Amino acid sequence: MRFLLEALAAVSALSATVAAGGASSSGNFSYNRHEFLLDGSPYQIIGGQMDPQRVPPEFWTHRLKMARAMGLNTIFSYLYWNMHEPSPGEWDFQGRNDVAKFFRLAQDEGLKVVLRPGPYICGERDWGGFPAWLSQVPGMAVRQNNGPFLDATKAYIDRLGEELGELQITQGGPILMTQLENEYGSFGKDKEYLAALAAILRDNFDVFLYTNDGGGQSYLEGGQLHGVLAVIDGDSKTGFAARDKYVTDPTSLGPQLNGEYYITWIDQWGSDYPHQQISGSQASIDKAVEDLDWTLAGNYSFSIYMFHGGTNFGFENGGIRDDGPLAAVTTSYDYGAPLDESGRPTDVYFKLREMISKYVPKGSIPDVPSLPQRATIPEFDLKPVVGMFGLQQTPTQEAKDPISMDALGQAYGYVLYEHIVTKDVSGNVTIGDGARDRAMIYVNGVRVGVVDTIYKTPATVKVALKKGDSFQILVENLGRVDVRQRLREQVKGIVGSVAVGCHVLKKWSMYSLPLATLPSNLSAQDQEYKVKANDSPVFYTGSFSLPVGTSSDLSGDTFITVPKGVKGVLWVNGVNMGRYWTVGPQQSLYVPGSVLREQNEVVLLELEPQPGTNISAQGISERQWFNNPDPDAP
């Protein structure tokens, strides 16, 4: 029986090779029951995950060189649909989205590529990489055999085919294989959906497909598809055994690959959530080295998740919620990776490099590139210039009931909801079916409470409103959940009605504040804004010069910290560096040298400005990780 299964798997692999271009193509990548084959010769994947859209393009070559210098031969990359198609039919393949350029650079450095295009990728991205506008498409049901979803997906995959088709191994490019969906067995078992998606991918990519699922029975059985190689993630030893036990279709069997060996875990905002890392822990480093050493010694393959995590710039982070409080992912996606957020090697990098060198030809691993020191920026002041609520005089929309962020055509940032009280009311504030995700409540411009869903039981806010009062709710999208797919739960802003006590408030004005670009009139403010107690959010501005001898490249990298800031967003030269939050564990924002100039303009949006507090910032050479109590904890 075993001989028969291996023979069938070999036939399947041979078919994949023929489909991948056969003898007339520039190259082929196939597999038999035990080995991957690159142009007919055994190829052991020594891989690592690095997503170009989390890394400044100016640094792509450097990060790829660092991958080669650790001994990797293959880069695994997710692609983020929401960044490529921010609005229906509006495509972006420039800057960080120029993924074809990234893959060409990988090939220049002698690296192969494994494509992980989704449409769903998880990755702790906003809604797992789905564009927010999907929630507004009539009849939409994601990750199912659903017409509207497959139509939207086909448009996306077809466009990827146009951009990346010529970069497949069959056409002389670096792309070896393409992933079908992502950990689908953790979500469902709709084989008709998987088959339909596989057909869309095969229409655009002629390399073979594979699935990637956790090493458990339900995961593997739900995610496996006939004719597609089944791959596991998580623990290699248990996962490999589970794959061979629970995947019984011989057309899905082949060499063992751990598609995501987790080097550690993600960071999320919270006073009680410390930074996740293995650097500095000898026992943790030894375990990672031992696990991957065992994998290579067994002639198996792996991809480290993450080799280099990068940064969730702007509002790009996602959230995680498993029927509990929202775990909002930090701006940093450092992931405790061997190559840290700023592209510097850690102690685990060098340990893995040493281990990998045992399995590759002597001298084939290049030297580690030299790295300049990061820049230190002396402390500089930030002055308050204008209140956030005063920047938009005309409502985006008015309606009887609150309108969600998504229905306003907005994906990220904030929405301000305003109601002018028509009669005296008092009681607890109820916001729709729950804040989406953090609601700051104001009466006549004075903050009276914060409702935050990072807590299992958010705070209860009680108000006493008089006729004529302005009652405002500023709602922040902290990141759409990546693992739950019910559309209503992914809609941000206010979903439903707002009540005070038993009185439902009617007639609302909505102000969209996506902050995709900075307000144009910040620099025109001719006098300093006076911060009041429990004030609404305030914009601050300031500037700094690069130290003498520092250039706008790797040597300009720095980490900006705002020690007296509570929560907000930081821009440098008009580029959104991401969120800061005193709760931690992240206490500094990575600012790549590529965005810096000799003179640099800084804008800070502080959501909870404190009167009498002089806000300042500085650039430090080493990241800071620690936690503080949450001033808004329930």
Side-chain angles (χ1 to χ4, degrees):
M1 175 62 77
R2 179 178 178 183
F3 175 81
L4 176 61
L5 292 178
E6 292 191 5
L8 288 170
V11 170
S12 174
L14 179 61
S15 298
T17 302
V18 173
S24 64
S25 61
S26 297
N28 65 67
F29 186 64
S30 62
Y31 58 89
N32 57 37
R33 181 62 178 85
H34 300 293
E35 292 180 312
F36 291 108
L37 302 169
L38 179 60
D39 295 329
S41 298
Y43 184 83
Q44 189 170 22
I45 296 174
I46 306 174
Q49 181 90 13
M50 178 163 54
D51 303 340
Q53 289 158 289
R54 276 191 173 112
V55 182
E58 296 86 350
F59 296 163
W60 283 348
T61 294
H62 168 260
R63 305 303 195 254
L64 292 164
K65 286 182 180 294
M66 294 299 293
R68 281 290 296 118
M70 199 180 85
L72 302 187
N73 60 19
T74 308
I75 294 296
F76 287 59
S77 292
Y78 280 142
L79 302 185
Y80 309 151
W81 183 4
N82 59 352
M83 291 182 67
H84 284 306
E85 193 182 11
S87 298
E90 175 191 330
W91 301 102
D92 186 349
F93 286 90
Q94 303 297 314
R96 283 189 289 138
N97 296 321
D98 189 355
V99 292
K101 178 179 179 180
F102 177 80
F103 296 148
R104 290 188 183 99
L105 292 172
Q107 186 172 28
D108 290 345
E109 297 303 325
L111 291 158
K112 302 302 183 186
V113 169
V114 172
L115 184 63
R116 311 183 76 189
Y120 170 78
I121 55 95
C122 190
E124 291 73 56
R125 297 295 288 186
D126 188 271
W127 202 1
F130 286 149
W133 53 262
L134 287 181
S135 71
Q136 302 304 298
V137 176
M140 176 66 64
V142 301
R143 304 184 79 186
Q144 299 177 39
N145 190 31
N146 168 268
F149 179 65
L150 289 173
D151 288 346
T153 295
K154 185 179 187 307
Y156 163 60
I157 299 296
D158 285 353
R159 185 56 191 267
L160 288 185
E162 295 175 18
E163 297 286 333
L164 304 177
E166 66 181 16
L167 294 176
Q168 297 175 93
I169 186 72
T170 53
Q171 300 184 43
I175 298 175
L176 299 177
M177 55 184 182
T178 300
Q179 183 173 312
L180 170 64
E181 243 275 357
N182 185 71
E183 296 179 324
Y184 186 71
S186 299
F187 172 80
K189 52 184 179 181
D190 185 344
K191 303 300 182 180
E192 290 185 357
Y193 160 62
L194 289 178
L197 180 56
I200 293 171
L201 287 166
R202 285 173 174 145
D203 283 344
N204 289 278
F205 299 100
D206 52 19
V207 294
F208 70 80
L209 304 180
Y210 77 99
T211 56
N212 196 115
D213 287 286
Q217 181 175 2
S218 63
Y219 304 145
L220 289 162
E221 291 179 348
Q224 175 267 340
L225 183 68
H226 180 78
V228 177
L229 176 66
V231 164
I232 65 98
D233 60 30
D235 179 76
S236 296
K237 294 179 182 179
T238 59
F240 291 166
R243 199 284 303 264
D244 283 350
K245 180 178 180 180
Y246 299 120
V247 176
T248 57
D249 182 342
T251 69
S252 292
L253 292 174
Q256 294 282 13
L257 164 63
N258 187 335
E260 293 184 10
Y261 174 81
Y262 302 115
I263 201 72
T264 181
W265 203 237
I266 58 171
D267 287 318
Q268 65 188 59
W269 295 113
S271 293
D272 57 353
Y273 197 90
H275 174 49
Q276 304 297 294
Q277 62 179 344
I278 65 171
S279 185
S281 168
Q282 193 59 51
S284 298
I285 293 173
D286 289 347
K287 183 181 186 308
V289 173
E290 178 186 343
D291 287 348
L292 295 175
D293 193 355
W294 176 89
T295 305
L296 293 180
N299 199 33
Y300 307 130
S301 296
F302 65 76
S303 173
I304 296 169
Y305 193 97
M306 299 288 294
F307 162 70
H308 173 55
T311 308
N312 294 313
F313 293 109
F315 302 120
E316 295 170 10
N317 68 281
I320 303 173
R321 172 186 278 148
D322 190 10
D323 295 321
L326 172 69
V329 177
T330 58
T331 295
S332 171
Y333 199 66
D334 180 71
Y335 218 96
L339 197 68
D340 77 11
E341 184 182 8
S342 69
R344 269 67 177 183
T346 65
D347 45 5
V348 71
Y349 176 99
F350 292 104
K351 291 294 185 181
L352 290 173
R353 183 176 190 268
E354 179 182 359
M355 182 275 293
I356 292 169
S357 68
K358 298 187 303 180
Y359 297 96
V360 298
K362 187 175 181 179
S364 64
I365 299 179
D367 293 338
V368 179
S370 60
L371 294 169
Q373 295 294 312
R374 302 184 189 95
T376 299
I377 310 298
E379 184 176 7
F380 57 95
D381 291 331
L382 295 162
K383 69 172 185 176
V385 293
V386 65
M388 181 188 195
F389 293 178
L391 288 174
Q392 190 170 347
Q393 303 298 323
T394 304
T396 305
Q397 198 164 333
E398 296 180 319
K400 187 176 181 179
D401 293 304
I403 298 174
S404 71
M405 176 182 288
D406 304 66
L408 289 169
Q410 179 182 339
Y412 313 105
Y414 311 83
V415 176
L416 176 63
Y417 296 85
E418 184 175 38
H419 168 78
I420 303 302
V421 180
T422 57
K423 65 177 181 179
D424 294 0
V425 293
S426 63
N428 294 336
V429 178
T430 302
I431 303 173
D433 58 3
R436 305 282 183 91
D437 302 304
R438 188 173 191 268
M440 305 179 70
I441 300 172
Y442 305 84
V443 177
N444 297 323
V446 177
R447 188 176 69 254
V448 296
V450 178
V451 178
D452 196 333
T453 58
I454 71 166
Y455 295 100
K456 184 176 182 179
T457 305
T460 298
V461 178
K462 186 174 183 179
V463 296
L465 303 177
K466 302 294 185 183
K467 183 178 179 179
D469 283 348
S470 169
F471 180 61
Q472 297 169 308
I473 304 174
L474 179 68
V475 182
E476 178 181 7
N477 170 6
L478 290 176
R480 289 177 182 81
V481 176
D482 62 359
V483 295
R484 294 175 69 187
Q485 304 305 321
R486 291 186 290 273
L487 265 62
R488 180 179 172 84
E489 295 175 353
Q490 299 291 15
V491 175
K492 296 302 182 181
I494 295 178
V495 180
S497 59
V498 174
V500 173
C502 60
H503 302 278
V504 176
L505 304 183
K506 297 292 184 178
K507 194 175 181 183
W508 290 86
S509 297
M510 275 62 64
Y511 299 82
S512 286
L513 299 164
L515 298 183
T517 58
L518 280 170
S520 59
N521 55 350
L522 291 179
S523 59
Q525 307 300 317
D526 56 3
Q527 61 183 7
E528 189 168 309
Y529 179 91
K530 182 69 173 178
V531 177
K532 304 178 288 295
N534 297 311
D535 210 344
S536 57
V538 171
F539 283 97
Y540 292 70
T541 61
S543 63
F544 66 87
S545 303
L546 279 180
V548 175
T550 301
S551 59
S552 300
D553 55 17
L554 281 171
S555 63
D557 281 357
T558 192
F559 298 95
I560 288 188
T561 180
V562 188
K564 295 181 180 178
V566 176
K567 188 179 192 306
V569 186
L570 178 81
W571 290 261
V572 177
N573 295 327
V575 180
N576 190 333
M577 297 289 98
R579 312 176 207 254
Y580 65 88
W581 197 348
T582 186
V583 298
Q586 182 177 353
Q587 297 290 345
S588 54
L589 285 167
Y590 172 54
V591 179
S594 58
V595 307
L596 298 179
R597 305 189 285 259
E598 186 174 336
Q599 295 293 325
N600 300 277
E601 301 300 320
V602 175
V603 173
L604 183 84
L605 172 63
E606 171 57 57
L607 296 175
E608 300 186 31
Q610 308 297 309
T613 299
N614 295 322
I615 297 286
S616 63
Q618 60 180 320
I620 56 179
S621 60
E622 295 294 335
R623 296 173 299 174
Q624 291 183 341
W625 305 99
F626 58 87
N627 300 89
N628 288 316
D630 185 354
D632 302 306

